[in-house]
């Protein structure tokens, strides 16, 4: 008789969906509140990010099975998870809200992914928490799918971002201006530590607690600073550097975050909270889509200035740690904040040089002028930002800079005002060609990756969400997702996704916070 096979210890220890290791709940347990997700009536898995699941060391099939879906709906807390609601504050549209926090979110736990990176796994829409104030703690399906889609689009564009692992329809309705289907989004982030997290502990608890948070943040995101003699000043500078680059990369693809409150700015340097965000089509620095941003505080062209403003709020929380001598701390922190515009400008120049296919050999001022003049031209002609820059790449690829003016005039259509427009384009193209007559293969490859064909265009996003929410039809969403996951290859079959919305659509288009 055969002896029964005894399972090896590691088979016995098969993780329940994820191998959690919850450093925040463990090390900063007094920075959050242990809390359980609210159950969903009839959970249905609508989207699962299989590639991301695998990256997290999870089995996509297990996640899609009933036990997995129950976990992703909040109906079952998987072994090893320690759900917590995180405390944070924040400056919203310039005014300080001392108590925000996870009002409709929970951090389920953390995993160390296949690349050795620690990632948060968190819910959005998982019910009320002690931080909910008057909110219902829920998330409507449309905003959950929107966050999923835009996060994937940003990731494919190479921009640091939180990503969505799953969207589960709860089977419950949520009340907004009308009843809407509810959903739980599972979000994966480098962490959920925000400028507002620091503001919360500075406002309510003082420097000792801020220091613990700062030490945790350094260990998690900037371990190279741990041995520094000035770790907190260096932390500020390091966060500023990541934000300087992040915003430059947003600007390079026409992204408008829409609600750059300090609670929506991460210390990790990832883009977070896809609420009223949108991609600009016709180029104008004043572009705003958010219904709640009537003053244009968070317009496309203001984002670098806002990032700096937010970093100043972070700096204020760190002052007592930077130096015991408070005037000296202010001087040191101010130097970092004042250096931000220059740091951002350096990243911006790098991003836009890549968009024009320029090497780094010429004087920065010469290239800055060339880029600025191109932006002025496309602004004057009311051209689509993405198409205009892609036209530069296409012209380079065909080694035909002389064809650029005709292509841009074709894009302008009836917006061409005079023969001067054509002459200006010809003159600019000649300058561009003269600046970089030879485009080496590496430069051309970088230029391609800087100039997508496909961005998440507002009319396409709305059509996909409308089909999903109003007609239970996820096909347009999945088709759009597929297009946005490969943004750099022009595909004839996807040509429609590269076209801007009609002027009528864009004139009336507004985005909303996902509340
Ligand atoms: P957001 O606009 O998503 O950045 O959220 C700003 C703040 O409002 C955070 O503290 C959220 O937790 C809270 N919040 C947003 N929507 C809700 C909701 N439906 N229920 C409870 N809190 C919410
Ligand atoms: Mg937020």
């Amino acid at each position: 008789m055969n002896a029964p096979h005894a399972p090896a210890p590691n088979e016995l220890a098969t993780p329940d969906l994820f191998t959690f290791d919850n450093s925040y709940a463990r090390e900063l347990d007094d920075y959050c509140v242990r809390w359980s997700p609210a159950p969903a009536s009839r959970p249905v898995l609508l989207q699962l990010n299989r590639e991301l699941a695998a990256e997290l060391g999870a089995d996509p099939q297990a996640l899609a099975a009933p036990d997995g879906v129950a976990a992703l709906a909040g109906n079952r807390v998987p072994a090893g998870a320690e759900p917590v609601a995180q405390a944070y504050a924040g400056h919203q549209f310039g005014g300080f809200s001392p108590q925000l926090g996870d009002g409709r979110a929970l951090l389920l736990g953390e995993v160390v992914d296949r690349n050795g990176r620690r990632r948060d796994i968190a819910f959005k829409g998982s019910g009320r928490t002690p931080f909910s104030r008057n909110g219902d703690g829920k998330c409507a399906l449309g905003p959950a799918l929107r966050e999923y889609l835009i996060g994937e689009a940003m990731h494919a564009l190479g921009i640091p971002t939180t990503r969505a692992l799953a969207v589960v329809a709860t089977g419950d309705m949520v009340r907004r201006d009308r009843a809407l289907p509810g959903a739980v989004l599972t979000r994966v982030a480098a962490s959920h530590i925000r400028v507002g997290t620091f503001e919360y502990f500075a406002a309510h608890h003082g420097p000792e607690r801020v220091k613990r948070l700062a030490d945790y943040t350094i260990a998690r995101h900037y371990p190279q600073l741990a041995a520094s003699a000035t770790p907190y000043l260096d932390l500020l500078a390091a966060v500023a550097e990541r934000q300087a680059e992040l915003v430059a990369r947003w600007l390079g693809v026409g992204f408008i975050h829409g609600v750059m409150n300090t609670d929506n700015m991460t210390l990790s340097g990832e883009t977070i909270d896809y609420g009223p965000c949108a991609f600009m089509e016709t180029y104008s620095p004043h572009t705003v889509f958010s219904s709640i941003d009537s003053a244009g505080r968070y317009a496309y062209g203001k984002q670098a200035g806002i990032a700096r403003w937010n970093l100043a709020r972070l700096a204020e929380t760190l002052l007592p740690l930077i130096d015991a001598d408070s005037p000296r701390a202010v001087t040191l922190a101010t130097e970092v904040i004042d250096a931000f515009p220059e740091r951002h400008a350096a990243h911006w120049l790098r991003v836009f040089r890549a968009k024009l296919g320029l090497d780094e050999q010429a004087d920065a001022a010469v290239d800055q002028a060339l880029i600025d003049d191109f932006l002025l031209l496309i602004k004057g002609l009311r051209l689509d930002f993405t198409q205009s820059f892609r036209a530069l790449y296409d012209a380079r690829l065909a080694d035909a800079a002389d064809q650029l003016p005709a292509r841009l005039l074709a894009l302008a259509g009836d917006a061409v005002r005079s023969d001067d427009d054509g002459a200006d384009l010809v003159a600019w193209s000649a300058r561009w060609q003269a600046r970089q007559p030879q485009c080496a293969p590496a430069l051309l490859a970088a230029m391609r990756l800087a100039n997508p064909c496909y961005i998440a265009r507002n009319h396409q996003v709305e059509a996909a969400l409308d089909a999903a929410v109003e007609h239970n039809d996820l096909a347009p969403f999945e088709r759009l997702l597929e297009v946005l996951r490969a943004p750099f290859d022009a595909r004839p079959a996807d040509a429609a996704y590269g076209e801007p919305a009609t002027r009528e659509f864009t004139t009336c288009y507004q985005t909303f916070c996902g509340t």
Side-chain angles (χ1 to χ4, degrees), residues 240-253:
E241 186 66 21
R242 284 201 195 163
Q243 289 294 336
E245 176 168 11
L246 181 67
V247 175
R249 296 177 75 168
W250 289 356
L251 298 184
V253 295

Side-chain angles (χ1 to χ4, degrees), residues 376-454:
L376 266 180
L377 282 173
I378 68 171
K379 182 165 183 274
L381 286 168
R382 301 192 52 73
L383 292 188
D384 182 81
F385 180 83
T386 304
Q387 285 185 315
S388 302
F389 278 97
R390 184 70 184 193
L392 296 181
Y393 172 70
D394 290 341
R396 272 280 182 235
L397 186 65
D399 201 11
D402 54 333
Q403 287 170 15
L404 181 69
R407 169 70 182 138
L408 293 175
L409 287 174
L411 288 178
D414 56 13
V416 177
R417 287 166 309 185
S418 69
D419 291 346
D420 288 350
D421 288 334
D424 289 347
L425 288 175
V426 170
W428 187 88
S429 299
R431 259 170 80 202
W432 178 51
Q433 176 68 14
R435 159 66 180 86
Q436 189 79 53
Q438 302 286 316
C439 196
L443 215 47
L444 194 61
M447 193 180 182
R448 173 177 164 275
L449 295 180
N451 292 308
C453 277
Y454 309 107

Side-chain angles (χ1 to χ4, degrees), residues 251 254-256 280-289 293 296-304 348 372 375-376 378-380 382 385:
L251 298 184
F255 179 74
I256 305 165
M280 172 175 67
E281 295 198 309
T282 304
Y283 172 65
S284 163
H286 306 297
T287 309
V288 172
F289 293 108
D293 191 11
R297 179 180 169 88
Y298 298 140
Y300 170 82
K302 292 219 180 126
Q303 296 182 109
W348 187 93
D372 285 345
L375 289 171
L376 266 180
I378 68 171
K379 182 165 183 274
R382 301 192 52 73
F385 180 83

Side-chain angles (χ1 to χ4, degrees), residues 194 263-264 273:
R194 310 145 190 268
D263 51 306
N264 292 335
D273 254 3

Side-chain angles (χ1 to χ4, degrees), residues 88 92 100-101 104 124 187 194 257 259 261 263-265 272-274:
Y88 56 88
Q92 300 183 303
L100 294 170
R104 56 162 168 173
K124 195 164 180 176
R187 177 157 81 184
R194 310 145 190 268
H257 183 284
V259 61
N261 296 333
D263 51 306
N264 292 335
M265 185 188 265
I272 197 169
D273 254 3
Y274 294 102

Side-chain angles (χ1 to χ4, degrees), residues 127-473:
R128 288 182 54 80
T129 76
F131 300 109
S132 295
R133 294 169 290 154
N134 296 322
D136 61 2
K138 305 283 185 177
C139 182
L141 175 59
L145 288 174
R146 195 166 205 283
E147 173 148 351
Y148 192 112
L149 187 75
I150 310 272
E152 288 308 282
M154 293 289 270
H155 175 72
L157 290 168
I159 297 175
T161 179
T162 67
R163 295 178 71 187
L165 177 66
V167 172
V168 171
T170 57
D172 302 310
M173 300 302 275
V174 301
R175 285 173 56 172
R176 295 296 177 259
D177 50 345
R178 62 196 174 96
L180 293 168
V184 175
L185 174 86
T186 303
R187 177 157 81 184
V188 175
S191 84
H192 284 81
I193 302 168
R194 310 145 190 268
V195 170
T197 318
F198 280 78
E199 291 181 283
Y200 181 91
F201 290 96
H204 299 289
H205 297 281
E208 207 33 56
R209 295 287 289 279
V210 177
K211 181 174 178 305
R212 265 176 65 206
L213 180 64
D215 289 340
Y216 176 90
T217 305
I218 288 171
R220 183 155 175 182
H221 296 300
Y222 303 94
Q224 72 281 11
L225 304 183
S228 163
T230 54
Y232 308 110
L233 185 64
D234 294 359
L235 172 64
L236 179 63
V239 175
E241 186 66 21
R242 284 201 195 163
Q243 289 294 336
E245 176 168 11
L246 181 67
V247 175
R249 296 177 75 168
W250 289 356
L251 298 184
V253 295
F255 179 74
I256 305 165
H257 183 284
V259 61
M260 284 180 74
N261 296 333
T262 56
D263 51 306
N264 292 335
M265 185 188 265
T266 59
L267 275 277
S268 69
E270 280 185 345
T271 313
I272 197 169
D273 254 3
Y274 294 102
C277 64
F279 286 83
M280 172 175 67
E281 295 198 309
T282 304
Y283 172 65
S284 163
H286 306 297
T287 309
V288 172
F289 293 108
S290 168
S291 63
I292 55 167
D293 191 11
S294 48
R297 179 180 169 88
Y298 298 140
Y300 170 82
K302 292 219 180 126
Q303 296 182 109
I306 290 294
R308 178 193 176 173
W309 192 91
N310 290 350
L311 289 161
R313 306 290 78 75
L314 175 65
E316 284 161 4
T317 72
L318 295 172
L319 286 176
L321 313 184
I322 289 175
D323 203 298
D325 173 30
S326 126
R328 187 170 149 70
V330 170
T331 304
L332 292 170
T334 304
E335 276 170 19
V336 173
I337 301 301
D338 285 350
F340 181 83
E342 205 177 298
R343 293 306 309 141
H344 170 70
H347 287 292
W348 187 93
L349 185 62
R350 192 174 42 73
V351 167
F352 278 81
R353 268 179 168 154
K355 289 179 81 65
L356 265 65
L358 307 178
D359 60 25
E360 314 242 318
Q361 304 301 318
D363 194 60
V366 168
D367 287 352
Q368 179 81 44
L370 192 65
I371 299 162
D372 285 345
D373 289 348
F374 185 69
L375 289 171
L376 266 180
L377 282 173
I378 68 171
K379 182 165 183 274
L381 286 168
R382 301 192 52 73
L383 292 188
D384 182 81
F385 180 83
T386 304
Q387 285 185 315
S388 302
F389 278 97
R390 184 70 184 193
L392 296 181
Y393 172 70
D394 290 341
R396 272 280 182 235
L397 186 65
D399 201 11
D402 54 333
Q403 287 170 15
L404 181 69
R407 169 70 182 138
L408 293 175
L409 287 174
L411 288 178
D414 56 13
V416 177
R417 287 166 309 185
S418 69
D419 291 346
D420 288 350
D421 288 334
D424 289 347
L425 288 175
V426 170
W428 187 88
S429 299
R431 259 170 80 202
W432 178 51
Q433 176 68 14
R435 159 66 180 86
Q436 189 79 53
Q438 302 286 316
C439 196
L443 215 47
L444 194 61
M447 193 180 182
R448 173 177 164 275
L449 295 180
N451 292 308
C453 277
Y454 309 107
I455 51 156
R457 292 189 179 272
N458 301 318
H459 65 297
Q460 298 282 3
V461 174
E462 292 307 322
L465 298 185
D466 185 67
V469 174
E470 305 297 336
H471 308 289
N472 244 334
D473 176 9

